């Protein structure tokens, strides 16, 4: 049995983050050292409550740490609450027993990495403000992170916050740029890995409503998301954070990655929050091959297996 991944999960916990937290808690390939939260889908306080409720339901005692209430710039990028006001379907299912830790998220990240150099992997499921703040505070320590996994960017497809920008990057593009420039291995799972084969359609949601407590929790948590998606003609919910977590916890889920140089646009304007991926070894018409890479972008995964694998974990 290979050694477990020692992970910190950084999250802006709404329905799909909650599914990812539960998947991690139910997986024997990872050890969750802590969950750090930031505002994004919901407020910081709500993200903490949602995280604790999901972890408790999964039987995990992983501690939760409060982080950023706003992006690095301090200027909030307004987005719709597609998951509902509480991020969990406004279904009155969030009643955590626990409380967040008194230590802050940034200090928890730095202390954990400092005490375990070269061993800690961070799974970033929201805006990466906490990670950027940790880099600003102690870059030398953060350079000892083993790998950052990021549910972020549009990958090689379209965006969701704008036609070219994905929500987690759009909410704090300077933070994302800071993360990309850190220089530790980064694996990006973009929105393009979250397309139709990974969606949970209404028939499956109906089955989950008759399922166990975790399946019922996630079905309820995604009800407002289903309304939003149906408004776009899609009778299903997507769980991008759980897809990203699947890439980490399931050793044979990822089939291909592309080595790239990722460049995050932080200038104001139509392309704000876009991440351009220059593929290694590829000669573009107007530029020579790039000589440097900073990310591995997941370009192929066993997407058709995702929904069944996720529900098997929920039932385990
Ligand atoms: O674009 C999808 C991402 O934005 C997911 O992490 C979702 O939870 C939101 O944070
Ligand atoms: Ca998220």
């Amino acid at each position: 049995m290979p050694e477990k991944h020692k992970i910190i999960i950084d999250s802006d916990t709404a329905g799909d983050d909650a599914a990812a937290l539960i998947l991690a808690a139910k997986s024997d390939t990872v050890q969750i050292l802590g969950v750090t939260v930031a505002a994004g889908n919901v407020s910081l306080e709500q993200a903490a409550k949602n995280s604790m409720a999901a972890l408790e339901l999964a039987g995990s005692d992983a501690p939760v740490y409060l982080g950023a209430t706003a992006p690095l710039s301090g200027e909030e990028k307004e987005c719709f609450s597609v998951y509902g006001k509480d991020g969990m379907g406004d279904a009155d299912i969030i009643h955590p027993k626990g409380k967040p830790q008194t230590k802050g998220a940034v200090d928890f990240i730095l202390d954990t990495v400092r005490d375990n150099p070269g061993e800690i992997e961070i799974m970033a499921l929201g805006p990466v403000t906490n990670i950027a703040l940790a880099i600003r505070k102690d870059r030398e320590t953060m350079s000892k992170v083993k790998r950052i996994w990021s549910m972020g960017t549009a990958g090689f497809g379209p965006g969701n916050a704008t036609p070219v920008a994905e929500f987690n990057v759009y909410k704090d593009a300077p933070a994302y740029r800071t993360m990309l420039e850190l220089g530790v291995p980064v694996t990006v799972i973009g929105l393009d890995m979250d397309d139709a084969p990974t969606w949970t359609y209404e028939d499956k949601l109906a089955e989950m409503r008759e399922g166990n407590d975790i399946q019922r929790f996630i079905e309820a948590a995604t009800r407002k998301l289903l309304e939003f998606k149906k408004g776009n003609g899609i009778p299903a919910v997507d769980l991008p954070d759980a897809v990203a977590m699947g890439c980490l916890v399931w050793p044979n889920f990822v089939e291909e990655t592309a080595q790239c140089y990722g460049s995050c646009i932080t200038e104001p304007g139509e392309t704000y929050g876009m991440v351009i991926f220059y593929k290694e070894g590829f000669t573009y018409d107007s530029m020579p091959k790039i000589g440097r890479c900073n990310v591995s972008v997941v370009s192929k995964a066993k997407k058709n297996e995702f929904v069944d694998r996720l529900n098997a974990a929920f039932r385990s």
Side-chain angles (χ1 to χ4, degrees):
M1 172 74 159
E3 216 171 299
K4 288 190 177 189
H5 297 267
K6 294 166 82 170
I7 69 172
I8 293 171
I9 303 173
D10 191 66
S11 175
D12 62 336
T13 313
D16 69 319
D17 307 72
L21 289 174
I22 293 169
L23 173 57
K26 289 284 189 177
S27 299
D28 58 10
T29 54
V30 298
Q31 176 192 356
I32 308 175
L33 300 183
V35 175
T36 51
V37 290
N41 283 315
V42 291
S43 70
L44 178 69
E45 292 68 25
Q46 190 66 54
K49 283 182 184 167
N50 296 347
S51 301
M52 290 183 290
L55 291 166
E56 288 168 11
L57 186 62
S60 168
D61 60 0
V64 173
Y65 298 85
L66 301 175
T69 55
L72 288 185
S73 66
E75 182 207 328
E76 196 56 67
K77 285 281 187 186
E78 286 312 318
C79 291
F80 303 121
S81 302
V82 301
Y83 296 91
K85 278 198 231 34
D86 71 355
M88 301 294 281
D90 295 339
D92 189 21
I93 56 172
I94 301 303
H95 307 289
K97 297 180 182 61
K99 294 273 180 254
Q101 303 299 303
T102 50
K103 177 183 279 191
V106 170
D107 287 337
F108 168 71
I109 292 170
L110 290 172
D111 290 349
T112 306
V113 174
R114 198 176 292 117
D115 295 346
N116 304 273
E119 296 180 39
I120 304 300
E121 298 175 69
I122 299 175
M123 171 57 84
L125 302 176
V128 296
T129 314
N130 291 335
I131 294 170
L133 289 169
I135 294 168
R136 280 186 177 179
K137 185 167 184 180
D138 184 348
R139 185 183 195 88
E140 200 264 330
T141 294
M142 288 301 282
S143 67
K144 295 171 182 163
V145 167
K146 180 178 182 182
R147 178 172 294 276
I148 296 173
W149 301 72
S150 160
M151 191 286 123
T153 85
F156 299 107
N160 57 357
T162 75
V164 295
E166 180 276 326
F167 178 92
N168 287 338
V169 180
Y170 183 74
K171 290 293 273 186
D172 198 344
Y176 208 83
R177 185 176 195 92
T178 299
M179 182 186 81
L180 289 180
E181 291 172 351
L182 174 60
V184 305
V186 176
T187 296
V188 165
I189 302 97
L191 216 46
D192 55 342
M193 287 297 112
D194 173 59
D195 57 0
T198 68
W199 295 345
T200 304
Y201 286 81
E202 285 185 292
D203 57 340
K204 187 65 181 180
L205 290 167
E207 192 186 299
M208 289 171 70
R209 262 198 300 282
E210 306 305 318
N212 73 358
D213 52 353
I214 289 177
Q215 288 176 300
R216 293 196 304 274
F217 179 82
I218 294 300
E219 186 276 328
T222 54
R223 281 182 197 154
K224 290 289 184 188
L225 178 61
L226 181 61
E227 281 175 26
F228 180 81
K229 302 298 276 192
K230 288 174 83 168
N232 281 338
I234 297 172
V237 297
D238 65 332
L239 300 170
D241 290 338
V243 173
M245 189 62 79
C247 292
L248 197 172
V249 303
W250 296 321
N252 59 0
F253 185 63
V254 172
E255 295 177 294
E256 264 174 38
T257 59
Q259 303 311 310
C260 297
Y261 180 75
S263 173
C264 181
I265 309 301
T266 54
E267 289 72 29
E270 287 181 286
T271 56
Y272 176 86
M274 178 179 187
V275 179
I276 302 170
F277 290 116
Y278 299 88
K279 285 185 181 176
E280 182 183 52
F282 186 89
T283 304
Y284 296 91
D285 293 356
S286 68
M287 59 184 286
K289 289 178 185 168
I290 55 155
R292 54 188 174 146
C293 288
N294 56 3
V295 290
S296 298
V297 182
V298 174
S299 50
K300 193 167 178 245
K302 294 177 180 172
K303 296 177 182 178
N304 292 321
E305 298 178 11
F306 171 72
V307 174
D308 288 344
R309 285 188 184 214
L310 182 65
N311 278 273
F314 287 167
R315 290 192 302 268
S316 66

